[in-house]
Amino acid sequence: MSELVKSIGERYLSVLDKIAAAAKRTGRDPGAVRLVVVTKSQPVEVVHAAIEAGAQILGENYPEEGVTKIQFLREFSAVEWHMIGHVQSRKAQLVAQNFNLLHSLDGLKLASRLNRFCEETGRILPTLLEFNVGEEQSKSGWPAWDETRWPELVNDVSAILVLSHLQVRGLMTMPPLGESAEYSRTFFQKIKRLQVFLAERFPQTDFSELSMGTSTDYEVAVEEGATLVRVGTAIVGPRNYKTED
Ligand SMILES: *Cc1c(COP(=O)(O)O)cnc(C)c1O
């Protein structure tokens, strides 16, 4: 086993342990939380090592980069590929045809383009709806920090639910960067309440997935009900930042 696989494997297992401990602390089933290993901006060798180290779900932020890796690592057919970054409408086809779950659906135009490309290939794309619960204008996701305005979200959500080739599974959020993990807790609680709000309004839809928590705050996210945590640097180490997608 290479040094890289070994060190990624140790960190992967340690994150899994902490997820399990956080779940138990709050009376949750550790098996109800899935770990997405975020490999954006990491070379394909690192992604390969992560798979060898046991990663079962990989998270990518940039469609082209993700698709290149998917094609390169095609032999690992049991691995799931999740798109977790903002998707520009012109990249919809790449996402519709290559990913197993989209965490970051954030607009009607993107939804209808994804639906059309899925229709053409007879695919159903499972997706989460991304909400911005932190009042940062720069963040993507439907604005949802003001709970009194949640009823205004209902129109867009119903417009997405009628799209026959998208299958909504739940919600996703990325809270503002804080000083500590505890800072994220109120945002996680807010998206959890929004999940309950939407589930009540759309009882036919399964909103059970909650994607939240990164390297800095995934344990708090699990305590607050995350079913998917997205952990990058704590497992695969620092990345070279990239701003273009
Ligand atoms: C990069 C990224 C992550 C992982 O962040 P780390 O700090 O490396 O764990 C999670 N979610 C999203 C949406 C990201 O862009």
Side-chain angles (χ1 to χ4, degrees), residues 38 40 61 84 172 174 214-215 230-233 239:
V38 177
K40 63 160 175 247
N61 283 57
I84 65 171
M172 180 272 216
M174 183 85 178
T214 64
S215 290
R230 310 178 307 264
V231 181
T233 46
R239 55 192 162 252

Side-chain angles (χ1 to χ4, degrees), residues 75-242:
E75 66 185 286
F76 302 100
S77 55
V79 162
E80 274 185 40
W81 294 88
H82 291 189
M83 172 49 60
I84 65 171
H86 171 69
V87 178
Q88 293 171 300
S89 286
R90 62 193 167 85
K91 306 283 171 71
Q93 186 167 19
L94 281 176
V95 172
Q97 294 174 347
N98 291 282
F99 288 88
N100 300 102
L101 177 68
L102 170 63
H103 290 228
S104 44
L105 179 57
D106 59 4
L108 283 185
K109 186 177 167 214
L110 174 62
S112 78
R113 281 178 67 88
L114 288 165
N115 187 62
R116 180 156 56 80
F117 289 122
C118 285
E119 210 159 12
E120 282 171 14
T121 48
R123 261 193 115 206
I124 302 279
L125 180 68
T127 184
L128 311 179
L129 306 178
E130 179 173 359
F131 292 97
N132 178 354
V133 290
E135 205 164 358
E136 278 179 306
Q137 303 301 338
S138 60
K139 279 261 165 65
S140 42
W142 277 273
W145 50 85
D146 182 354
E147 300 194 28
T148 65
R149 300 186 67 172
W150 284 354
E152 294 170 27
L153 299 169
V154 166
N155 275 349
D156 277 11
V157 174
S158 17
I160 287 169
L161 293 181
V162 298
L163 298 172
S164 57
H165 289 254
L166 298 185
Q167 184 185 60
V168 172
R169 296 261 182 91
L171 290 70
M172 180 272 216
T173 200
M174 183 85 178
L177 207 58
E179 302 280 287
S180 70
E182 273 310 314
Y183 177 77
S184 301
R185 193 181 297 277
T186 54
F187 301 107
F188 295 152
Q189 289 169 341
K190 190 177 278 195
I191 191 102
K192 178 81 200 174
R193 285 197 298 279
L194 179 57
Q195 180 188 40
V196 172
F197 172 88
L198 290 174
E200 276 170 2
R201 261 145 204 87
F202 302 99
Q204 277 92 314
T205 303
D206 179 9
F207 282 103
S208 57
E209 298 283 4
L210 210 45
S211 167
M212 57 190 195
T214 64
S215 290
T216 51
D217 55 14
Y218 67 91
E219 291 164 272
V220 174
V222 170
E223 288 172 0
E224 297 301 335
T227 62
L228 287 157
V229 292
R230 310 178 307 264
V231 181
T233 46
I235 297 173
V236 291
R239 55 192 162 252
N240 294 319
Y241 272 94
K242 115 175 204 182

Side-chain angles (χ1 to χ4, degrees), residues 9 13 19 24-25 40 45 50-51 58 61 73 145 178 203:
L13 288 180
I19 289 171
K24 286 191 195 125
R25 276 201 290 283
K40 63 160 175 247
E45 297 74 42
I51 295 172
L58 299 167
N61 283 57
L73 298 163
W145 50 85

